[in-house]
């Protein structure tokens, strides 16, 4: 976890993601990324200088259950994980699957599902009395989104390292944006994190999955391709990605 912590601390410092007194909700799906993020943020609270905490904030784990195929998901591993980290945990059952797949019968369900998940998470963040919500988007997610926006929408842009959501008066932060996915995978495996696998019926056939495969192939053929894409994004200065922003 030391490499993860180094990347998370650098992201927090570079993008000014966390301030003293913050109460941060962490979206915990049970996947490797969200578990690694929660673990890193919990461990960062232990850092001290001259006996004084370098990072003074509270955490709240929040899990949304889409109730795939109309059944309650088993998120007891996430609950145990939060308990071990001394982080309060909230599980929210939703009807996301029914709305997206059964009622709306979306041909491209990812967009609506993501929008509804964001709304539910934002509401849960406010209900928990938190002023920030942390999501586990990694360095690879940044590049994938950048490429998808470029190729599919013809624009240069990405989600931001942090965004103020005025309608909810909360700030969304992404502390893993400088952390490569391979480090996340290694950290989860090395620490024997109990992963909750998603039963989403289209999990491996999305546009993001295809973009991930494209980038993996480009990286094999042209090492450093993803790093150069990230540098291009940062040099563009859009969406809060500029150097020194």
């Amino acid at each position: 976890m030391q490499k993860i912590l180094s990347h998370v601390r650098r992201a927090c410092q570079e993008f000014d993601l966390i301030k003293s007194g913050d109460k941060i909700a962490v979206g915990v799906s049970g996947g490797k990324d969200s578990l690694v993020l929660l673990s890193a943020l919990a461990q960062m609270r232990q850092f001290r200088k001259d006996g004084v905490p370098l990072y003074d904030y509270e955490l709240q784990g929040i899990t949304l259950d889409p109730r795939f195929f109309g059944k309650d998901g088993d998120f007891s591993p996430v609950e145990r994980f939060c308990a071990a980290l001394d982080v309060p945990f909230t599980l929210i059952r939703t009807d996301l699957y029914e709305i997206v797949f059964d009622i709306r019968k979306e041909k491209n369900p990812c967009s609506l599902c993501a929008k509804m998940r964001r709304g539910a998470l934002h509401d849960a963040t406010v209900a928990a009395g938190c002023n920030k919500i942390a999501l586990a988007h990694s360095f690879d997610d940044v590049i994938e989104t950048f490429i998808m926006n470029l190729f599919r929408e013809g624009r240069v842009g990405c989600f931001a390292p942090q965004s103020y959501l005025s309608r909810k008066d909360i700030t969304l932060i992404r502390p893993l944006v400088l952390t490569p996915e391979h480090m996340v995978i290694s950290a989860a495996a090395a620490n024997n994190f109990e992963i909750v696998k998603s039963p989403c019926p289209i999990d491996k056939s999305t546009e993001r999955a295809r973009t991930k495969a494209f980038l993996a192939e480009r990286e094999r053929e042209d090492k450093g391709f993803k790093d150069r894409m990230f540098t291009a994004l940062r040099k563009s200065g859009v969406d809060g990605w500029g150097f020194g922003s």
Side-chain angles (χ1 to χ4, degrees), residues 136-195:
H137 294 114
S138 69
F139 172 89
D140 292 70
D141 292 314
V142 175
I143 305 306
E144 290 159 17
T145 302
F146 176 60
I147 291 295
M148 288 166 67
N149 288 343
L150 186 64
F151 286 1
R152 291 180 61 82
E153 299 180 21
R155 68 181 180 89
V156 174
C158 186
F159 52 71
Q162 71 165 301
S163 305
Y164 176 64
L165 310 176
S166 58
R167 294 182 63 181
K168 299 294 182 180
D169 191 28
I170 57 176
T171 299
L172 189 157
I173 61 175
R174 296 178 167 94
L176 283 182
V177 289
L178 300 182
T179 308
E181 186 179 34
H182 71 84
M183 287 189 183
V184 174
I185 294 171
S186 296
N191 289 276
N192 296 312
F193 289 165
E194 190 175 0
I195 307 299

Side-chain angles (χ1 to χ4, degrees), residues 85-156:
L85 295 173
D86 194 26
V87 172
F89 172 71
T90 299
L91 172 62
I92 300 174
R93 306 286 187 186
T94 74
D95 296 316
L96 277 172
Y97 178 86
E98 180 184 12
I99 294 170
V100 174
F101 287 92
D102 296 339
I103 297 176
R104 293 283 295 269
K105 295 181 174 22
E106 291 284 321
K107 292 182 179 179
N108 299 297
C110 293
S111 178
L112 177 60
C113 183
K115 181 177 180 180
M116 294 182 66
R117 287 172 68 92
R118 285 195 300 269
L121 273 174
H122 298 166
D123 289 342
T125 298
V126 173
C130 298
N131 67 306
K132 290 183 178 177
I133 177 167
L135 300 183
H137 294 114
S138 69
F139 172 89
D140 292 70
D141 292 314
V142 175
I143 305 306
E144 290 159 17
T145 302
F146 176 60
I147 291 295
M148 288 166 67
N149 288 343
L150 186 64
F151 286 1
R152 291 180 61 82
E153 299 180 21
R155 68 181 180 89
V156 174

